[in-house]
Amino acid sequence: METVTSIVEMKRAAGSLRRGGRTVALVPTMGALHEGHLSLIRQADARANVVVVSIFVNPTQFGPSEDFDTYPRDLERDSELAQAAGCDIIFAPEVDDMYPASSATRVCVSGLTERLCGAFRPGHFDGVCTVVAKLFSIVRPHLAVFGQKDGQQVAVIERMVADLEMGVEIVRSPIVREPDGLAMSSRNAYLSGGERRDAVVLFESLKHAVSRYGAGERNVERIVSEMREMIEAKETTDIQYIAAVDARTLEDVDDAGEGVMLALAVFVGKTRLIDNVILGAE
């Protein structure tokens, strides 16, 4: 496995791979790899000749009061895990290389970024789209693998790729969960013991919603109300939002049906966690 830290070097390698007829897959990450990330790498390895994993804690997607400075960073550990999962190239650029002082361009996807998480994290998805667009330009992948846990993010990236004719296949990978159902996240490490126990209610509420849907319930307001009641019963939880939207367009829906994504963001203590399910898919 090779580690590349320079954009110039990564572009040179990408051009060589393309000219050699190799199929390249990109897995964009911010490091702090866990089994969820590793599942993306394995899926990329099954679909492509060469897997590039980017490790870059992107400053432009963090708000002023968020955890950019404290976000876990351990390139050596991440590299070992990525290699074992099938990574061929680690791309770990420096912030100054990705965002030189002269940089004046941002990528914005209107509409999809202004709801759900975007309503509470202004500018977040502009940062996500900008860094992903730059990574696509540098790595030149044929396909990129993203986790469904960030359901809104995947929908936004899909829209950006389609609108800008980027020619990159976007692969959605299922959510990977802990044995008790909590969606794997780098931020789970911030939870105290009691908070970690309470956090399981996020998945329990989503399972309840799936069960109600399976039993024939189609009233979104009723399903969301029951989810809210379950989560609010825990001492450490504070709901930011629970929403029912079309999984691709992120438009609000009134009736629960196949392809509807139930998404939520909840503070457990001071840690903000997200999760979702797509009805009819799980």
Side-chain angles (χ1 to χ4, degrees):
M1 188 186 70
E2 181 182 3
T3 298
V4 178
T5 59
S6 159
I7 288 178
V8 171
E9 291 178 14
M10 188 67 246
K11 282 186 172 181
R12 186 181 297 121
S16 177
L17 291 168
R18 282 270 184 170
R19 288 190 298 273
R22 311 297 295 280
T23 302
V24 179
L26 172 66
V27 180
T29 83
M30 293 202 301
L33 301 186
H34 52 66
E35 183 57 36
H37 297 110
L38 302 184
S39 73
L40 307 184
I41 298 170
R42 294 188 194 103
Q43 187 164 162
D45 187 41
R47 291 170 172 260
N49 304 126
V50 178
V51 177
V52 180
V53 176
S54 63
I55 296 179
F56 179 66
V57 184
N58 177 37
T60 66
Q61 69 188 70
F62 286 81
S65 61
E66 295 182 342
D67 58 342
F68 174 72
D69 291 332
T70 59
Y71 197 86
R73 295 163 171 85
D74 189 340
L75 183 58
E76 182 177 353
R77 170 190 173 276
D78 288 341
S79 297
E80 291 174 358
L81 290 172
Q83 182 175 16
C87 173
D88 299 292
I89 300 174
I90 292 285
F91 178 46
E94 297 292 335
V95 172
D96 291 345
D97 203 11
M98 288 292 282
Y99 297 110
S102 60
S103 179
T105 301
R106 292 291 181 270
V107 180
C108 173
V109 176
S110 300
L112 277 72
T113 61
E114 295 155 12
R115 59 193 70 200
L116 303 179
C117 290
F120 299 93
R121 304 182 70 188
H124 168 72
F125 285 110
D126 291 357
V128 170
C129 289
T130 300
V131 76
V132 171
K134 288 176 73 74
L135 289 170
F136 286 175
S137 178
I138 295 164
V139 178
R140 298 180 61 197
H142 297 82
L143 61 99
V145 186
F146 291 85
Q148 176 59 36
K149 184 176 78 71
D150 298 292
Q152 181 177 14
Q153 174 177 277
V154 185
V156 169
I157 296 300
E158 287 174 338
R159 183 75 268 155
M160 177 186 75
V161 167
D163 289 351
L164 298 182
E165 304 289 350
M166 288 180 162
V168 179
E169 178 189 357
I170 303 302
V171 178
R172 290 185 182 229
S173 187
I175 298 172
V176 177
R177 300 184 180 279
E178 301 285 356
D180 59 7
L182 182 66
M184 288 194 175
S185 169
S186 302
R187 292 186 169 96
N188 290 349
Y190 299 162
L191 299 169
S192 69
E195 291 166 354
R196 176 63 181 78
R197 288 189 291 274
D198 284 354
V200 178
V201 75
L202 275 64
F203 181 54
E204 290 175 346
S205 73
L206 290 167
K207 279 201 306 182
H208 175 77
V210 170
S211 175
R212 296 284 281 128
Y213 169 75
E217 179 61 74
R218 296 295 182 267
N219 186 294
V220 163
E221 185 176 349
R222 194 148 44 230
I223 291 174
V224 169
S225 176
E226 292 171 7
M227 292 174 63
R228 183 176 296 276
E229 184 177 350
M230 291 177 67
I231 295 170
E232 288 178 341
K234 300 296 182 181
E235 291 185 3
T236 66
T237 58
D238 183 13
I239 297 170
Q240 190 170 74
Y241 71 79
I242 304 175
V245 300
D246 182 280
R248 299 287 177 178
T249 68
L250 304 184
E251 294 287 342
D252 292 330
V253 299
D254 295 322
D255 297 317
E258 187 170 345
V260 167
M261 180 170 69
L262 288 167
L264 51 76
V266 177
F267 282 93
V268 182
K270 295 182 178 180
T271 305
R272 184 180 183 275
L273 301 178
I274 60 174
D275 203 345
N276 66 82
V277 295
I278 298 179
L279 298 178
E282 297 192 18

